[in-house]
């Protein structure tokens, strides 16, 4: 999600609202066992922080503290919705894992993802033979899948 507020011609940068870009990382990429890492804009030439209202924060996905973020990171990694702390997330995940309509919707999403991945591999020059070898499918089956996906 991105909410952008620009400046009108002649407006001072000080009129911009404070804004944050937040990345949820899977791993603790700095290995400092911190909940999050915050960065500010920095000018290398003059070696100083640019005091803007723009911030970048990396949230450590491995963090499991006994607080709201620790529980949220736990829930993001849960495969069983019954083990989740947050009701809203548990309900949404349960729908896609347990309810027939949700399971069907997720299956269709995954099929579309698979179709896009296959087409991308073909566009990037992967041969039918290589795809057949990787997927353990016959060459004729691979060719028929791609032919069926071509627009009429």
């Amino acid at each position: 999600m991105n909410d952008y507020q620009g400046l009108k011609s002649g407006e001072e940068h000080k009129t911009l609202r404070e804004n944050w870009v937040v990345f949820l990382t899977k791993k603790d990429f700095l290995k400092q066992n911190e909940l999050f890492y915050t960065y500010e804009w920095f000018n290398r030439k003059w070696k100083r922080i640019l005091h803007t209202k723009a911030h970048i924060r990396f949230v450590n996905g491995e963090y499991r503290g006994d607080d709201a973020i620790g529980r949220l990171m736990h829930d993001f990694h849960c495969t069983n919705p019954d083990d989740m702390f947050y009701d809203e997330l548990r309900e949404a995940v349960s729908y896609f894992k347990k309810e027939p309509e949700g399971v069907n919707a997720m299956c269709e999403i995954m099929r579309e993802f698979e179709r896009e991945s296959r087409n991308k591999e073909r566009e990037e020059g992967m041969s039918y033979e290589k795809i057949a070898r990787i997927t353990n499918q016959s060459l004729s089956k691979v060719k028929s899948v791609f032919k069926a996906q071509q627009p009429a």
Side-chain angles (χ1 to χ4, degrees), residues 33-83:
N33 201 31
E34 296 286 333
L35 161 60
F36 55 80
Y37 305 98
T38 302
Y39 291 84
E40 303 295 333
W41 293 96
F42 182 78
N43 182 292
R44 290 182 182 182
K45 182 176 181 179
W46 295 296
K47 299 189 181 358
R48 65 180 184 198
I49 291 176
L50 301 175
H51 294 284
T52 67
K53 296 178 183 177
H55 314 279
I56 302 171
R57 179 166 284 174
F58 294 86
V59 178
N60 175 3
E62 291 181 314
Y63 177 77
R64 295 295 184 278
D66 189 24
D67 57 15
I69 297 292
R71 289 187 290 276
L72 184 62
M73 292 302 104
H74 165 271
D75 285 3
F76 282 169
H77 287 81
C78 273
T79 55
N80 183 353
D82 296 331
D83 296 335

Side-chain angles (χ1 to χ4, degrees), residues 9 11 38 60 65 73 75 84 87-88 104 117-118 138 140:
S9 180
E11 265 188 307
T38 302
N60 175 3
M73 292 302 104
D75 285 3
M84 293 180 166
D87 295 335
E88 298 89 348
N104 287 337
S117 295
R118 285 182 182 169
S138 69
S140 61

